[in-house]
Amino acid sequence: MNLFLTGTDTNVGKSYVAALLVRALRAAGRGCVGLKPICCGEREDATLLHAAADGAITLNDVNPVWLRAPAAPYTASLIENRAVDLALIRESFARARSAHESLIVEGAGGWLVPITRDYFVADLAAEFGLPVAIVVANRLGALNHALLTVAAVRARGLECAGLIINHPSAEEDIATTTNRGVLEEMAGVPILFDIAYGQRGIKLTTT
């Protein structure tokens, strides 16, 4: 399993999901590592992936570009007056790709988050060439966000492997109990995983 994870928004649980996938794949005997090419603000996402892979690669290879400002990468780079080092990101990805059987790559925010003035998360995913999985926060608004993101991934000519529904809260309402069924009917891609609030592991059914 090799995936590029994007989200329907920021703070939808991409790092949480990515870490669960890395742990599950490693437990299944796959040489899997997680990458977070760009962190903005705290570096918690990268340290979570680093720990999930038992330190199989360095933290700086997990996360080659760390911008301290908690904003979109392009905005953070303007605030810090330094360019995002795309060459460094490409080098780190190439090392991990050649050395490990499986990669879970986590994007920054959503699909069209700008990394530079004319380069977006979508462009990074296209360069890496991995199937794209969309992490969907199960809440009101998820249908619109998920369907828009699926359409945007397909418009780039990339493979949308499916949706990963994440429950950010234990509370349920009409939206959270019906979103999955509607997405199964309308999205045209499979639901890869449905992750409950506080879930600590994923059972893999693929090989």
Side-chain angles (χ1 to χ4, degrees):
M1 182 185 291
N2 292 278
L3 292 172
F4 186 100
L5 297 187
T6 191
T8 50
D9 199 352
T10 192
N11 292 325
V12 296
K14 292 190 307 298
S15 299
Y16 169 61
V17 169
L20 289 177
L21 286 170
V22 171
R23 287 195 185 96
L25 286 160
R26 290 181 69 83
R30 298 294 185 90
C32 183
V33 297
L35 303 181
K36 174 78 175 184
I38 306 170
C39 279
C40 297
E42 299 296 329
R43 213 181 189 186
E44 292 177 31
D45 294 352
T47 57
L48 190 66
L49 293 178
H50 184 248
D54 303 315
I57 58 176
T58 70
L59 182 58
N60 285 337
D61 269 338
V62 172
N63 169 227
V65 172
W66 179 21
L67 297 161
R68 274 61 172 181
Y74 176 56
T75 307
S77 71
L78 293 177
I79 292 169
E80 298 182 23
N81 195 29
R82 66 185 180 105
V84 173
D85 193 340
L86 293 174
L88 183 60
I89 290 172
R90 293 171 180 130
E91 290 167 8
S92 294
F93 175 78
R95 275 196 301 273
R97 193 80 167 105
S98 64
H100 299 278
E101 177 185 4
S102 178
L103 295 183
I104 303 297
V105 181
E106 179 191 346
W111 187 242
L112 286 181
V113 166
I115 295 173
T116 71
R117 175 66 181 80
D118 55 3
Y119 188 91
F120 299 82
V121 167
D123 296 300
L124 187 66
E127 273 201 51
F128 287 175
L130 304 178
V132 177
I134 301 166
V135 179
V136 181
N138 190 20
R139 57 194 179 206
L140 185 64
L143 299 180
N144 176 57
H145 295 157
L147 295 174
L148 281 171
T149 307
V150 170
V153 171
R154 286 174 162 167
R156 290 298 302 261
L158 301 178
E159 177 189 352
C160 186
L163 307 177
I164 299 174
I165 298 175
N166 181 46
H167 296 252
S169 170
E171 296 181 8
E172 294 187 346
D173 56 29
I174 292 173
T176 62
T177 56
T178 58
N179 280 339
R180 174 172 181 151
V182 176
L183 288 172
E184 286 178 326
E185 178 185 352
M186 298 184 66
V189 295
I191 306 295
L192 301 176
F193 301 99
D194 192 332
I195 299 175
Y197 176 72
Q199 185 172 324
R200 296 193 175 189
I202 288 178
K203 182 177 180 181
L204 298 177
T205 57
T206 57
T207 59

